[in-house]
Amino acid sequence: MDKTIINIKGMHCENCQKKVNDAISGLDGVKEVKVDLEKNLAEAEYDSDKISIEEIQKAIINAGDYTIQDEGKDER
């Protein structure tokens, strides 16, 4: 399993947090998701054989009016 932390611009309320969480957690290959509204971060644990970071980022962008500021990858 790999882990990524994605900095999201445009999340401003609990509804945004829920949209981002639902968009990521519904993806095949994503095991665990944590979305921090105060820090504008999404943390996802995922199987890189099934899904890429780019696909996770695309799901976030498509969930609403959000942009990705940067992301980091921490391999486990």
Side-chain angles (χ1 to χ4, degrees):
M1 285 293 184
D2 292 311
K3 180 178 172 182
T4 187
I5 298 173
I6 302 169
N7 192 339
I8 305 165
K9 186 175 181 181
M11 272 196 325
H12 60 278
C13 65
E14 289 180 11
N15 190 39
C16 293
Q17 180 182 19
K18 181 175 176 1
K19 282 182 183 180
V20 170
N21 184 72
D22 291 349
I24 301 172
S25 62
L27 298 172
D28 185 38
V30 174
K31 181 177 180 181
E32 186 177 334
V33 177
K34 294 178 187 173
V35 180
D36 187 327
L37 179 59
E38 290 182 22
K39 295 180 181 179
N40 291 318
L41 297 175
E43 183 177 320
E45 188 173 328
Y46 66 99
D47 182 344
S48 60
D49 291 334
K50 294 184 178 181
I51 192 164
S52 68
I53 291 174
E54 292 79 14
E55 290 171 303
I56 295 170
Q57 291 174 340
K58 187 175 180 180
I60 292 169
I61 292 167
N62 290 336
D65 191 22
Y66 311 117
T67 57
I68 305 301
Q69 289 184 319
D70 60 5
E71 61 82 18
K73 181 177 177 185
D74 180 20
E75 296 202 21
R76 291 186 171 195

Coordinates of all heavy atoms in Angstrom, one line a residue:
M1 N 0.8 -1.2 0.0 CA 0.0 0.0 0.0 C 0.9 1.2 0.0 O 1.9 1.3 0.7 CB -0.9 0.0 1.2 CG -2.0 -0.9 1.2 SD -3.2 -0.4 0.0 CE -4.5 -1.6 0.2
D2 N 0.4 2.2 -0.8 CA 1.1 3.5 -0.8 C 0.2 4.5 -0.1 O -1.0 4.3 0.1 CB 1.3 4.0 -2.2 CG 2.3 3.1 -3.0 OD1 3.4 2.9 -2.4 OD2 2.0 2.7 -4.1
K3 N 0.8 5.7 0.2 CA 0.1 6.7 0.9 C 0.4 8.0 0.3 O 1.6 8.3 -0.1 CB 0.5 6.7 2.4 CG -0.2 7.8 3.2 CD 0.3 7.6 4.7 CE -0.2 8.8 5.5 NZ 0.4 8.6 6.9
T4 N -0.6 8.9 0.1 CA -0.4 10.2 -0.5 C -1.1 11.2 0.3 O -2.2 11.0 0.9 CB -0.8 10.3 -2.0 OG1 -0.4 11.5 -2.5 CG2 -2.3 10.1 -2.2
I5 N -0.5 12.4 0.4 CA -1.2 13.6 1.0 C -1.3 14.6 -0.1 O -0.3 15.0 -0.7 CB -0.3 14.1 2.2 CG1 -0.2 13.0 3.2 CG2 -1.0 15.4 2.7 CD1 0.7 13.4 4.4
I6 N -2.5 15.1 -0.3 CA -2.8 16.0 -1.4 C -3.4 17.3 -0.8 O -4.3 17.3 0.0 CB -3.9 15.4 -2.4 CG1 -3.4 14.1 -2.9 CG2 -4.2 16.4 -3.5 CD1 -4.4 13.3 -3.7
N7 N -2.8 18.4 -1.2 CA -3.2 19.7 -0.7 C -4.2 20.3 -1.7 O -3.9 20.4 -2.9 CB -2.0 20.7 -0.7 CG -2.2 22.0 0.0 OD1 -3.4 22.4 0.2 ND2 -1.2 22.6 0.5
I8 N -5.4 20.5 -1.2 CA -6.6 20.9 -2.0 C -6.9 22.4 -1.8 O -7.1 22.8 -0.7 CB -7.8 20.0 -1.7 CG1 -7.4 18.5 -1.8 CG2 -9.0 20.4 -2.6 CD1 -8.4 17.6 -1.2
K9 N -7.1 23.1 -2.9 CA -7.5 24.5 -2.9 C -9.0 24.5 -3.3 O -9.4 23.9 -4.2 CB -6.7 25.3 -3.8 CG -7.0 26.8 -3.7 CD -6.0 27.6 -4.6 CE -6.4 29.1 -4.5 NZ -5.5 29.9 -5.3
G10 N -9.8 25.2 -2.5 CA -11.2 25.4 -2.8 C -12.1 24.7 -1.8 O -13.3 24.9 -1.9
M11 N -11.6 23.9 -0.9 CA -12.5 23.3 0.1 C -12.7 24.4 1.2 O -11.8 24.9 1.8 CB -11.8 22.1 0.8 CG -12.0 20.8 0.2 SD -11.6 19.4 1.2 CE -10.2 19.9 2.2
H12 N -14.0 24.7 1.5 CA -14.3 25.8 2.4 C -15.4 25.4 3.4 O -15.7 26.2 4.3 CB -14.6 27.1 1.7 CG -15.8 27.0 0.8 ND1 -15.7 26.4 -0.5 CD2 -17.1 27.3 1.0 CE1 -16.9 26.4 -1.0 NE2 -17.8 27.0 -0.1
C13 N -16.0 24.3 3.3 CA -17.1 23.9 4.2 C -17.2 22.4 4.4 O -16.5 21.6 3.7 CB -18.4 24.5 3.7 SG -19.0 23.7 2.2
E14 N -18.0 22.0 5.4 CA -18.1 20.6 5.6 C -18.7 19.8 4.4 O -18.4 18.6 4.2 CB -19.0 20.3 6.9 CG -18.3 20.7 8.2 CD -19.2 20.5 9.4 OE1 -20.2 19.9 9.3 OE2 -18.7 21.0 10.5
N15 N -19.5 20.5 3.7 CA -20.1 19.8 2.5 C -19.0 19.5 1.5 O -18.9 18.5 0.8 CB -21.1 20.7 1.8 CG -21.9 20.0 0.7 OD1 -22.2 18.8 0.8 ND2 -22.2 20.7 -0.3
C16 N -18.0 20.5 1.3 CA -16.8 20.2 0.5 C -16.0 19.1 1.0 O -15.6 18.2 0.2 CB -16.0 21.5 0.4 SG -16.7 22.9 -0.3
Q17 N -15.8 19.0 2.3 CA -15.1 17.9 2.9 C -15.7 16.6 2.6 O -15.1 15.6 2.2 CB -15.0 18.1 4.4 CG -14.2 17.1 5.1 CD -14.2 17.3 6.6 OE1 -15.0 18.1 7.2 NE2 -13.3 16.7 7.3
K18 N -17.0 16.5 2.7 CA -17.8 15.3 2.4 C -17.7 14.9 0.9 O -17.5 13.7 0.6 CB -19.2 15.4 2.8 CG -20.1 14.2 2.6 CD -21.5 14.3 3.1 CE -22.4 13.1 2.8 NZ -21.9 12.0 2.2
K19 N -17.8 15.9 0.0 CA -17.7 15.6 -1.4 C -16.4 15.0 -1.8 O -16.3 14.1 -2.5 CB -17.9 16.9 -2.2 CG -19.3 17.4 -2.4 CD -19.4 18.6 -3.2 CE -20.7 19.2 -3.4 NZ -20.7 20.4 -4.2
V20 N -15.3 15.6 -1.2 CA -13.9 15.1 -1.5 C -13.8 13.7 -0.9 O -13.3 12.8 -1.6 CB -12.9 16.1 -1.0 CG1 -11.5 15.4 -1.0 CG2 -12.9 17.4 -1.7
N21 N -14.2 13.5 0.3 CA -14.1 12.2 0.9 C -14.9 11.1 0.1 O -14.3 10.1 -0.1 CB -14.6 12.3 2.4 CG -14.5 11.0 3.1 OD1 -13.4 10.6 3.5 ND2 -15.6 10.2 3.3
D22 N -16.1 11.5 -0.3 CA -16.9 10.5 -1.0 C -16.3 10.2 -2.4 O -16.3 9.1 -2.8 CB -18.3 11.0 -1.2 CG -19.1 11.1 0.1 OD1 -18.6 10.5 1.1 OD2 -20.2 11.7 0.1
A23 N -15.7 11.2 -3.0 CA -15.1 11.0 -4.3 C -13.9 10.1 -4.3 O -13.7 9.2 -5.2 CB -14.7 12.4 -4.9
I24 N -13.1 10.2 -3.2 CA -11.9 9.4 -3.1 C -12.2 8.0 -2.6 O -11.7 7.0 -3.1 CB -10.9 10.1 -2.2 CG1 -10.5 11.4 -2.7 CG2 -9.6 9.2 -2.1 CD1 -9.6 12.2 -1.7
S25 N -13.0 7.9 -1.6 CA -13.3 6.6 -1.0 C -14.1 5.7 -1.9 O -14.0 4.5 -1.7 CB -14.1 6.8 0.4 OG -15.3 7.4 0.2
G26 N -14.7 6.2 -2.9 CA -15.5 5.4 -3.8 C -14.6 4.8 -4.9 O -15.1 4.1 -5.8
L27 N -13.4 5.1 -5.0 CA -12.5 4.6 -6.0 C -12.0 3.2 -5.7 O -11.6 2.9 -4.6 CB -11.3 5.6 -6.2 CG -11.6 7.0 -6.6 CD1 -10.4 7.9 -6.6 CD2 -12.2 7.0 -8.0
D28 N -11.9 2.4 -6.8 CA -11.3 1.1 -6.6 C -9.8 1.2 -6.3 O -9.1 1.9 -7.1 CB -11.6 0.3 -7.9 CG -11.1 -1.2 -7.8 OD1 -11.3 -1.8 -6.7 OD2 -10.6 -1.7 -8.7
G29 N -9.4 0.5 -5.3 CA -8.0 0.6 -5.0 C -7.6 1.5 -3.8 O -6.5 1.5 -3.3
V30 N -8.6 2.3 -3.4 CA -8.4 3.2 -2.3 C -8.9 2.5 -1.0 O -10.0 2.1 -0.9 CB -9.1 4.6 -2.4 CG1 -9.0 5.4 -1.2 CG2 -8.6 5.3 -3.6
K31 N -8.0 2.4 0.0 CA -8.3 1.7 1.2 C -8.8 2.6 2.3 O -9.8 2.3 2.9 CB -7.1 0.9 1.7 CG -7.4 0.1 2.9 CD -6.2 -0.7 3.4 CE -6.5 -1.5 4.6 NZ -5.4 -2.3 5.1
E32 N -8.1 3.7 2.5 CA -8.5 4.6 3.6 C -8.4 6.0 3.2 O -7.4 6.4 2.5 CB -7.6 4.3 4.8 CG -8.0 5.0 6.1 CD -7.1 4.7 7.3 OE1 -6.6 3.6 7.3 OE2 -7.0 5.5 8.1
V33 N -9.3 6.9 3.6 CA -9.3 8.3 3.3 C -9.5 9.1 4.5 O -10.3 8.8 5.4 CB -10.4 8.6 2.3 CG1 -10.4 10.1 2.0 CG2 -10.2 7.8 1.0
K34 N -8.7 10.2 4.7 CA -8.9 11.2 5.7 C -8.9 12.6 5.1 O -7.9 12.9 4.4 CB -7.8 11.1 6.8 CG -7.9 9.8 7.6 CD -6.7 9.8 8.6 CE -6.7 8.4 9.3 NZ -5.5 8.3 10.1
V35 N -9.9 13.4 5.2 CA -9.9 14.7 4.7 C -10.0 15.7 5.8 O -10.9 15.7 6.6 CB -11.1 14.9 3.7 CG1 -11.1 16.3 3.1 CG2 -11.1 13.9 2.6
D36 N -9.0 16.6 5.8 CA -8.9 17.6 6.9 C -9.3 18.9 6.3 O -8.5 19.5 5.5 CB -7.4 17.6 7.4 CG -7.3 18.5 8.6 OD1 -8.0 19.6 8.7 OD2 -6.4 18.2 9.5
L37 N -10.4 19.4 6.7 CA -11.0 20.7 6.2 C -10.1 21.9 6.6 O -9.8 22.8 5.8 CB -12.4 20.9 6.7 CG -13.1 22.1 6.2 CD1 -13.2 22.2 4.7 CD2 -14.5 22.2 6.9
E38 N -9.7 21.9 7.9 CA -8.9 23.0 8.4 C -7.5 23.2 7.7 O -7.1 24.3 7.4 CB -8.6 22.9 9.9 CG -9.9 23.1 10.7 CD -9.6 23.0 12.2 OE1 -8.5 23.2 12.6 OE2 -10.6 22.7 12.9
K39 N -6.9 22.1 7.3 CA -5.6 22.1 6.7 C -5.7 22.0 5.1 O -4.7 22.1 4.4 CB -4.7 21.0 7.2 CG -4.4 21.2 8.7 CD -3.5 20.0 9.1 CE -3.2 20.2 10.6 NZ -2.3 19.1 11.1
N40 N -6.9 21.8 4.6 CA -7.2 21.6 3.2 C -6.3 20.5 2.6 O -5.7 20.6 1.6 CB -6.9 22.9 2.4 CG -7.9 23.9 2.7 OD1 -9.1 23.6 2.8 ND2 -7.5 25.2 2.9
L41 N -6.3 19.3 3.3 CA -5.5 18.2 2.9 C -6.4 16.9 2.8 O -7.4 16.8 3.6 CB -4.4 17.9 4.0 CG -3.4 18.9 4.2 CD1 -2.4 18.4 5.3 CD2 -2.6 19.1 2.9
A42 N -6.1 16.1 1.9 CA -6.7 14.8 1.8 C -5.5 13.8 1.9 O -4.5 13.9 1.2 CB -7.4 14.6 0.5
E43 N -5.7 12.8 2.7 CA -4.7 11.7 2.9 C -5.4 10.4 2.5 O -6.5 10.1 2.9 CB -4.3 11.6 4.3 CG -3.2 10.6 4.6 CD -2.8 10.7 6.1 OE1 -2.7 11.8 6.7 OE2 -2.6 9.6 6.6
A44 N -4.7 9.7 1.6 CA -5.3 8.5 1.1 C -4.3 7.3 1.1 O -3.1 7.5 0.7 CB -5.8 8.7 -0.4
E45 N -4.7 6.2 1.5 CA -3.9 5.0 1.5 C -4.5 4.2 0.3 O -5.7 4.0 0.2 CB -4.0 4.2 2.8 CG -3.1 3.0 2.8 CD -3.0 2.4 4.2 OE1 -3.2 3.1 5.2 OE2 -2.9 1.1 4.2
Y46 N -3.7 3.8 -0.6 CA -4.2 3.2 -1.9 C -3.2 2.1 -2.4 O -2.0 2.0 -2.0 CB -4.4 4.2 -2.9 CG -3.1 4.9 -3.4 CD1 -2.5 4.5 -4.6 CD2 -2.5 5.9 -2.7 CE1 -1.3 5.1 -5.0 CE2 -1.3 6.5 -3.1 CZ -0.7 6.0 -4.3 OH 0.4 6.6 -4.7
D47 N -3.8 1.3 -3.3 CA -3.0 0.2 -3.9 C -2.6 0.7 -5.3 O -3.4 0.9 -6.2 CB -3.9 -1.0 -4.1 CG -3.1 -2.2 -4.7 OD1 -2.1 -2.0 -5.3 OD2 -3.7 -3.3 -4.6
S48 N -1.3 1.0 -5.4 CA -0.8 1.6 -6.7 C -0.9 0.6 -7.9 O -0.7 1.1 -9.0 CB 0.7 2.0 -6.5 OG 1.5 1.0 -6.2
D49 N -1.2 -0.6 -7.6 CA -1.4 -1.6 -8.8 C -2.8 -1.4 -9.3 O -3.1 -1.8 -10.5 CB -1.2 -3.0 -8.3 CG 0.2 -3.4 -8.0 OD1 1.1 -2.7 -8.5 OD2 0.4 -4.3 -7.1
K50 N -3.7 -0.8 -8.6 CA -5.1 -0.6 -9.0 C -5.4 0.9 -9.4 O -6.3 1.1 -10.2 CB -6.0 -1.0 -7.9 CG -6.0 -2.5 -7.6 CD -7.0 -2.9 -6.6 CE -7.0 -4.4 -6.3 NZ -8.1 -4.8 -5.4
I51 N -4.7 1.8 -8.8 CA -5.1 3.2 -9.0 C -3.8 4.1 -8.9 O -2.9 3.8 -8.1 CB -6.2 3.7 -8.1 CG1 -6.7 5.1 -8.5 CG2 -5.7 3.7 -6.6 CD1 -8.1 5.4 -7.9
S52 N -3.8 5.2 -9.6 CA -2.6 6.1 -9.6 C -3.0 7.4 -8.8 O -4.2 7.7 -8.6 CB -2.2 6.5 -11.0 OG -3.1 7.3 -11.6
I53 N -2.0 8.1 -8.4 CA -2.2 9.4 -7.7 C -2.9 10.3 -8.6 O -3.8 11.0 -8.2 CB -0.8 10.0 -7.3 CG1 -0.2 9.2 -6.2 CG2 -1.0 11.4 -6.8 CD1 1.2 9.7 -5.8
E54 N -2.6 10.3 -9.9 CA -3.3 11.2 -10.9 C -4.8 10.9 -10.9 O -5.6 11.8 -11.1 CB -2.7 11.0 -12.3 CG -1.3 11.5 -12.4 CD -0.2 10.6 -11.8 OE1 -0.5 9.4 -11.6 OE2 0.9 11.1 -11.6
E55 N -5.2 9.6 -10.8 CA -6.6 9.3 -10.9 C -7.3 9.8 -9.6 O -8.4 10.2 -9.6 CB -6.8 7.8 -11.0 CG -6.4 7.2 -12.3 CD -6.4 5.7 -12.4 OE1 -5.6 5.1 -11.6 OE2 -7.1 5.2 -13.2
I56 N -6.6 9.7 -8.5 CA -7.2 10.2 -7.2 C -7.3 11.8 -7.3 O -8.4 12.3 -7.0 CB -6.3 9.9 -6.0 CG1 -6.3 8.3 -5.8 CG2 -6.7 10.6 -4.7 CD1 -5.2 7.8 -4.8
Q57 N -6.3 12.4 -7.8 CA -6.4 13.9 -8.0 C -7.5 14.3 -8.9 O -8.3 15.2 -8.7 CB -5.1 14.4 -8.6 CG -3.9 14.3 -7.6 CD -2.6 14.7 -8.2 OE1 -2.5 14.7 -9.4 NE2 -1.7 15.1 -7.3
K58 N -7.7 13.5 -10.0 CA -8.8 13.8 -11.0 C -10.1 13.7 -10.3 O -11.0 14.5 -10.6 CB -8.7 12.9 -12.2 CG -9.6 13.2 -13.3 CD -9.4 12.3 -14.5 CE -10.4 12.7 -15.6 NZ -10.2 11.8 -16.8
A59 N -10.3 12.7 -9.5 CA -11.6 12.5 -8.7 C -11.9 13.7 -7.8 O -13.0 14.1 -7.7 CB -11.5 11.2 -8.0
I60 N -10.8 14.2 -7.2 CA -11.0 15.4 -6.3 C -11.4 16.6 -7.2 O -12.4 17.3 -6.8 CB -9.7 15.7 -5.6 CG1 -9.4 14.6 -4.6 CG2 -9.8 17.0 -4.9 CD1 -8.0 14.6 -4.0
I61 N -10.7 16.8 -8.3 CA -11.1 18.0 -9.1 C -12.5 17.8 -9.6 O -13.2 18.8 -9.7 CB -10.0 18.1 -10.3 CG1 -8.7 18.5 -9.7 CG2 -10.5 19.0 -11.3 CD1 -7.5 18.3 -10.7
N62 N -12.9 16.6 -10.0 CA -14.3 16.4 -10.6 C -15.3 16.5 -9.5 O -16.5 16.6 -9.9 CB -14.3 15.1 -11.3 CG -13.5 15.1 -12.6 OD1 -13.3 16.1 -13.2 ND2 -13.1 13.9 -13.0
A63 N -15.0 16.4 -8.2 CA -16.0 16.4 -7.2 C -16.6 17.8 -7.0 O -17.6 18.0 -6.4 CB -15.4 15.9 -5.9
G64 N -15.9 18.9 -7.4 CA -16.4 20.2 -7.2 C -15.4 21.2 -7.8 O -14.6 20.9 -8.7
D65 N -15.4 22.4 -7.4 CA -14.5 23.5 -7.9 C -13.2 23.5 -7.1 O -12.9 24.4 -6.3 CB -15.3 24.8 -7.8 CG -14.5 25.9 -8.5 OD1 -13.7 25.6 -9.4 OD2 -14.7 27.1 -8.1
Y66 N -12.4 22.4 -7.2 CA -11.2 22.2 -6.4 C -10.0 22.1 -7.3 O -10.1 21.7 -8.5 CB -11.3 21.0 -5.6 CG -12.6 20.9 -4.8 CD1 -13.4 19.8 -5.0 CD2 -12.9 21.8 -3.8 CE1 -14.6 19.7 -4.3 CE2 -14.1 21.7 -3.1 CZ -14.9 20.7 -3.3 OH -16.1 20.6 -2.6
T67 N -8.9 22.6 -6.9 CA -7.6 22.4 -7.6 C -6.6 21.8 -6.6 O -6.7 21.9 -5.4 CB -7.1 23.8 -8.1 OG1 -6.9 24.7 -7.0 CG2 -8.0 24.4 -9.1
I68 N -5.7 21.1 -7.2 CA -4.6 20.5 -6.5 C -3.4 21.4 -6.4 O -2.9 21.8 -7.4 CB -4.2 19.1 -7.1 CG1 -5.4 18.2 -7.3 CG2 -3.1 18.5 -6.3 CD1 -6.1 17.9 -6.1
Q69 N -3.0 21.8 -5.2 CA -1.8 22.6 -5.0 C -0.5 21.9 -5.1 O 0.4 22.3 -5.8 CB -1.9 23.4 -3.7 CG -3.0 24.5 -3.7 CD -3.0 25.3 -2.5 OE1 -2.9 24.7 -1.4 NE2 -3.3 26.6 -2.6
D70 N -0.5 20.8 -4.4 CA 0.7 19.9 -4.5 C 0.3 18.6 -3.9 O -0.7 18.4 -3.2 CB 1.9 20.5 -3.9 CG 1.7 20.8 -2.4 OD1 0.7 20.5 -1.8 OD2 2.6 21.4 -1.8
E71 N 1.2 17.6 -4.1 CA 1.0 16.3 -3.4 C 2.3 15.7 -3.1 O 3.3 16.0 -3.7 CB 0.1 15.4 -4.3 CG 0.7 15.0 -5.6 CD 1.7 13.9 -5.6 OE1 1.7 13.1 -4.7 OE2 2.5 13.8 -6.6
G72 N 2.3 14.8 -2.1 CA 3.5 14.1 -1.8 C 3.2 12.6 -1.6 O 2.0 12.2 -1.4
K73 N 4.2 11.8 -1.9 CA 3.9 10.3 -1.8 C 4.9 9.8 -0.8 O 6.1 10.0 -0.8 CB 4.2 9.7 -3.2 CG 3.9 8.2 -3.2 CD 4.2 7.7 -4.6 CE 4.0 6.2 -4.7 NZ 4.3 5.7 -6.0
D74 N 4.3 9.0 0.1 CA 5.1 8.3 1.1 C 4.8 6.8 1.0 O 3.8 6.3 1.3 CB 4.6 8.8 2.5 CG 5.4 8.1 3.7 OD1 6.5 7.6 3.4 OD2 4.8 8.1 4.8
E75 N 5.8 6.1 0.5 CA 5.6 4.7 0.2 C 5.7 3.9 1.5 O 6.6 4.2 2.4 CB 6.7 4.2 -0.8 CG 6.5 4.8 -2.1 CD 7.1 4.0 -3.2 OE1 7.3 2.8 -3.0 OE2 7.3 4.6 -4.3
R76 N 4.9 2.9 1.7 CA 4.9 2.0 2.8 C 5.5 0.7 2.4 O 5.4 0.2 1.4 CB 3.6 1.8 3.4 CG 3.0 3.0 4.0 CD 1.7 2.7 4.6 NE 1.3 3.9 5.4 CZ 0.4 3.9 6.3 NH1 -0.2 2.8 6.6 NH2 0.1 4.9 7.0

